[in-house]
Amino acid sequence: MDVAVFVMDRTADFGLAAVLEVFDMANALRGELEPAPEPWTVHVVSVSDTARTGRGHLVPALPLSRLTVDLDLMIVPAVNAIDASELIDLVSDPANQLVLQRISEAAERGVHLAAACTGTFFLAESGALDGSRATTSWWLGPAFRRRYPNVDVQEGHILCRDKLVTTAGAVLSHLDLALSLVAAQSPALAEITSRFLLIGHRHSQIEFAVPEVIARGDSLVAAFERWVRDHISKQFRLADAARSLGVTVRSLQRATQGEIGMAPRDFVDEIRLERATQLLRTTSLTVDAVAAKVGYQNASTLRTLFRRRRNRTIAEIRSSPLSWEAAPASLQ
């Protein structure tokens, strides 16, 4: 399989390296399986013969115009642009029209396209994601949804595969993206590759999302988020919040659905689950006490929400420290 990894100026160093490392490791481990899967031939391509990464490193590349093989897959890693407005300025800059043209041409030839994090904006800007399900970095979901209304945005997911496109979420999901592309050809090879690279399973992006960040793009949604935090230990109706904010419940529903792709009640649950997670990981409060502090009458409601919205139990949340917290103490 011929794979093109498309680099451009400001390509994120980690994303590029992660994709290349996964395919290099998969190729190195092919011999562990019987029969061995076909190898991946990886080409680093661009619109010219070099690209400068976001950290200033010069990457030699093969201009797509000189590529003589028929590509099976093209991957667009992220670019270094964390702010949504900066990213939109970048993808719409006339200087990047040739980049978008090359992506569009690949889509027209039936090449499978893939991107992660901010790289998903280039696929969307080229029109390659129209009519498809796609994900992106969780904090960019509102801006993505506004600019690309023809894309079914699923920013809670780490990975989305639809037709001839595969997209992934925030920076570390470059690893998930590349592994999923290996798995499409050989699930067994993807599994052993993940073990050699020590890549663990992350359930979803949503458990990492910070509600006040995703609410920033819309003043009403941001005000609603602040109101919920101020009343987080209380049981309230949406009508109470809407009245305090000077809007109707229907206006609040339209705002949250249009901006962050969820109903107000679901957004309230996300805010409460985020706070509950912090309390479970950083205090010794009982589950009943945590539930009361985030506005639920009993622990069973909190347990049900964690299972339904995080696919995890409270025990798993509390007993699974983050990787740096799990490191053993240094020997004296």
Side-chain angles (χ1 to χ4, degrees), residues 172 202 208 281-282 320-330:
L172 278 176
R202 293 180 297 284
F208 298 95
R281 283 181 167 164
T282 61
S320 57
L322 298 170
S323 58
W324 58 87
E325 297 173 327
S330 58

Side-chain angles (χ1 to χ4, degrees), residues 46-47 62-67 102:
S46 188
V47 295
L62 176 66
L64 269 173
S65 59
R66 298 214 306 261
L67 189 65
R102 293 291 186 252

Side-chain angles (χ1 to χ4, degrees), residues 138-216:
W138 58 263
W139 69 90
L140 295 172
F144 195 102
R145 183 176 286 102
R146 288 193 299 272
R147 186 164 181 84
Y148 309 114
N150 294 327
V151 182
D152 181 8
V153 188
Q154 305 280 328
E155 67 265 46
H157 296 295
I158 287 176
L159 279 167
C160 274
R161 189 177 181 94
D162 194 346
K163 303 174 186 174
L164 288 175
V165 294
T166 302
T167 50
V171 182
L172 278 176
S173 63
H174 282 87
L175 295 166
D176 303 275
L177 177 72
L179 279 172
S180 77
L181 297 169
V182 171
Q185 303 302 314
S186 173
L189 184 55
E191 195 273 337
I192 193 173
T193 299
S194 72
R195 291 167 66 182
F196 268 74
L197 292 172
L198 203 64
I199 301 173
H201 176 64
R202 293 180 297 284
H203 293 266
S204 71
Q205 283 200 106
I206 199 66
E207 64 183 290
F208 298 95
V210 182
E212 61 263 38
V213 174
I214 63 174
R216 283 176 185 167

Side-chain angles (χ1 to χ4, degrees), residues 295-326:
Y296 296 121
Q297 285 186 318
N298 52 61
S300 64
T301 301
L302 189 60
R303 288 191 175 96
T304 298
L305 278 168
F306 267 113
R307 283 195 297 269
R308 190 173 76 234
R309 301 186 71 86
R310 297 291 187 267
N311 197 28
R312 303 177 77 181
T313 66
I314 284 180
E316 288 172 329
I317 294 287
R318 187 157 243 174
S319 66
S320 57
L322 298 170
S323 58
W324 58 87
E325 297 173 327

Side-chain angles (χ1 to χ4, degrees), residues 31-207:
E32 300 293 324
L33 301 178
E34 181 62 42
E38 291 297 313
W40 283 265
T41 303
V42 180
H43 312 268
V44 177
V45 303
S46 188
V47 295
S48 62
D49 56 5
T50 58
R52 192 168 294 278
T53 69
R55 299 294 297 173
H57 297 109
L58 200 62
V59 178
L62 176 66
L64 269 173
S65 59
R66 298 214 306 261
L67 189 65
T68 57
V69 299
D70 291 329
L71 290 177
D72 300 289
L73 171 65
M74 179 186 288
I75 306 170
V76 181
V79 293
N80 275 14
I82 195 169
D83 178 72
S85 58
E86 177 191 9
L87 179 57
I88 289 170
D89 287 344
L90 182 64
V91 298
S92 60
D93 190 320
N96 281 318
Q97 283 304 302
L98 189 54
V99 171
L100 300 178
Q101 180 183 331
R102 293 291 186 252
I103 293 172
S104 180
E105 289 170 352
E108 290 172 0
R109 293 196 304 272
V111 176
H112 191 102
L113 299 176
C117 194
T118 52
T120 59
F121 276 68
F122 283 90
L123 296 194
E125 190 75 14
S126 74
L129 296 183
D130 285 355
S132 296
R133 294 171 64 253
T135 188
T136 188
S137 296
W138 58 263
W139 69 90
L140 295 172
F144 195 102
R145 183 176 286 102
R146 288 193 299 272
R147 186 164 181 84
Y148 309 114
N150 294 327
V151 182
D152 181 8
V153 188
Q154 305 280 328
E155 67 265 46
H157 296 295
I158 287 176
L159 279 167
C160 274
R161 189 177 181 94
D162 194 346
K163 303 174 186 174
L164 288 175
V165 294
T166 302
T167 50
V171 182
L172 278 176
S173 63
H174 282 87
L175 295 166
D176 303 275
L177 177 72
L179 279 172
S180 77
L181 297 169
V182 171
Q185 303 302 314
S186 173
L189 184 55
E191 195 273 337
I192 193 173
T193 299
S194 72
R195 291 167 66 182
F196 268 74
L197 292 172
L198 203 64
I199 301 173
H201 176 64
R202 293 180 297 284
H203 293 266
S204 71
Q205 283 200 106
I206 199 66
E207 64 183 290

